[in-house]
Amino acid sequence: MWRQPAQVWAVAFACVVAFMGIGLVDPILPAIAEALKATPVQTELLFTSYLLVTGLAMLITSWISSRIGAKATLLTGLGLIVAFALLCALSDSVDAVIGFRAGWGLGNALFISTALATIVGAASGGSSAAIVLYEAALGLGIAVGPLLGGLLGEQSWRGPFFGVVALMAIAFIAVLVLLRGPREKRDPVPFAAPFRALRRPALAVLAVTALFYNVGFFVLLAFSPFPLGFGAIGIGLTFFGWGVALALTSVWVAPILMRRMSMTLIVLLALPLLAVDLLIAGLLVASPAALVTCIVIGGLLLGIMNTVLTEAVMEATDLPRAVASSAYSAVRFLGGAVAPPLAALLWHTFTATVPYLFAAVSMLLAALVILLGRRSLAHIDRGSHDVAEDAEAVLIGDAT
């Protein structure tokens, strides 16, 4: 898995930085609320505008990339992220930051959906090794993002945004210089392809599962900084631990589990465990130590879920990977867009416990969708053991 051409490492590095953008604002949410005189609901809209536009734009990314090419799409996405992150850093109102985060989401959509297909297509070691590499980049980015956000956020809430500008500019240059190869053959994808893809039962089941799953994911990620009551560096360190836990299980534990169990069984075990973790977090929300523990344990389970769901989507249909990824991700990110402001609203209407209970119920609904749709996922389960064995063999072979 680690012996990849330079172009794969260039895209993987850019992925790390792109995923850093998800958690980068986490430690500075309270600081933004204070500096810009925003309510928690308004502050949580920084996630909503970003994720909503990311999700909707995912529906057209395969159509765009099939016409202008993967490299041009990646560079366009990276360029938009640089521009809108800079505008966020220079803003003086929360409404402006919310709006510019939406533009950031557009760039994120163009980059992320194309990056996965690019890594899978260019990586050596097969699609399973490529997906593990992609998940490693995701985990590293999600781990480092909050830590960097906390360190830079100690100086100013604008610091993390300037940090993204610098890192994304480096990623832009890396992709521009290193992503080379023979001129790609372009096979234009119909505009309606992602919409038609969601008619496939297996992909539809996975997409709806991911929608409910992402509600719980982003309640844990985006709402938790408020009840924790820490400063920027404390929140950053907490979610650094969460991200490290997520990265470890997504890269090493998930392939081992897939070698021994079917994908649906893993999901049906992990989702109820996540619901229990969120329930405990809600009941013990007044204790920072208990909440930090629940956040890190949640990261362990989320890492398994991320890898298993990504692998399942890639194996669910015979559609081009870019189309399947776009359709699935569009629905998935919509769940993440709804969760943060709704969690803040539930907090102010009731107590800090209720958002976590809401997230726990959402995880159980995701499990129910998988349980009811198991028949349409049977073909994935039949191939999951071989896929996981290939992935683990690559890891063991590289280690020795």
Side-chain angles (χ1 to χ4, degrees):
M1 185 182 70
W2 307 112
R3 299 169 186 169
Q4 302 294 344
Q7 60 187 21
V8 171
W9 288 117
V11 177
F13 170 72
C15 284
V16 171
V17 182
F19 287 118
M20 283 170 57
I22 295 177
L24 194 79
V25 300
D26 219 34
I28 57 172
L29 289 177
I32 290 176
E34 182 180 353
L36 300 181
K37 296 179 174 56
T39 66
V41 174
Q42 285 178 306
T43 310
E44 295 285 29
L45 289 175
L46 294 175
F47 280 97
T48 296
S49 63
Y50 171 82
L51 294 169
L52 179 63
V53 173
T54 296
L56 293 175
M58 284 285 186
L59 293 170
I60 62 170
T61 53
S62 58
W63 179 79
I64 293 173
S65 64
S66 69
R67 281 160 174 77
I68 68 173
K71 183 174 182 177
T73 306
L74 291 171
L75 292 175
T76 301
L78 290 170
L80 286 172
I81 294 172
V82 170
F84 283 105
L86 179 60
L87 290 170
C88 285
L90 299 175
S91 297
D92 291 317
S93 73
V94 69
D95 290 336
V97 180
I98 290 169
F100 292 136
R101 281 280 286 179
W104 187 338
L106 174 60
N108 198 53
L110 289 170
F111 176 79
I112 287 179
S113 64
T114 310
L116 176 57
T118 302
I119 288 178
V120 171
S124 58
S127 63
S128 297
I131 289 171
V132 172
L133 181 62
Y134 177 81
E135 292 297 333
L138 184 153
L140 183 59
I142 284 181
V144 174
L147 182 60
L148 182 63
L151 292 171
L152 296 176
E154 283 289 302
Q155 310 304 317
S156 167
W157 67 265
R158 301 177 192 271
F161 293 113
F162 283 121
V164 168
V165 172
L167 289 170
M168 274 301 186
I170 296 171
F172 183 94
I173 295 170
V175 171
L176 180 65
V177 173
L178 297 177
L179 190 57
R180 297 174 178 174
R183 187 176 180 84
E184 57 190 297
K185 181 182 178 181
R186 296 178 189 170
D187 186 14
V189 172
F191 184 83
F195 300 94
R196 289 201 296 263
L198 290 171
R199 297 177 187 172
R200 302 285 187 98
L203 192 61
V205 167
L206 292 170
V208 175
T209 299
L211 185 147
F212 289 117
Y213 163 70
N214 256 29
V215 168
F217 184 106
F218 278 96
V219 167
L220 191 66
L221 174 65
F223 172 68
S224 294
F226 289 101
L228 275 174
F230 296 161
I233 189 65
I235 297 171
L237 288 170
T238 297
F239 281 94
F240 174 70
W242 172 80
V244 169
L246 187 149
L248 289 174
T249 53
S250 65
V251 175
W252 281 284
V253 178
I256 293 173
L257 290 177
M258 286 190 290
R259 185 170 181 263
R260 290 161 173 77
M261 294 184 284
S262 67
M263 290 186 186
T264 54
L265 180 57
I266 296 170
V267 171
L268 287 172
L269 290 173
L271 286 171
L273 288 174
L274 276 165
V276 171
D277 182 64
L278 288 163
L279 175 63
I280 294 172
L283 295 175
L284 302 179
V285 70
S287 168
L291 187 54
V292 168
T293 301
C294 289
I295 288 170
V296 174
I297 291 173
L300 294 171
L301 295 167
L302 293 170
I304 294 170
M305 282 293 302
N306 282 352
T307 296
V308 173
L309 283 177
T310 301
E311 184 75 61
V313 169
M314 293 295 102
E315 301 295 327
T317 68
D318 56 358
L319 294 168
R321 289 188 174 94
V323 173
S325 175
S326 295
Y328 164 79
S329 296
V331 179
R332 174 169 63 105
F333 278 110
L334 292 179
V338 170
L342 186 54
L345 185 62
L346 290 171
W347 174 32
H348 280 280
T349 304
F350 302 102
T351 67
T353 297
V354 176
Y356 291 105
L357 300 183
F358 167 69
V361 170
S362 187
M363 289 294 186
L364 293 177
L365 288 174
L368 180 62
V369 172
I370 288 290
L371 188 63
L372 296 176
R374 286 189 77 172
R375 183 173 296 179
S376 64
L377 301 175
H379 65 290
I380 301 175
D381 285 339
R382 283 195 295 271
S384 63
H385 293 280
D386 294 335
V387 168
E389 284 177 1
D390 292 343
E392 191 172 32
V394 171
L395 290 169
I396 294 172
D398 284 347
T400 56

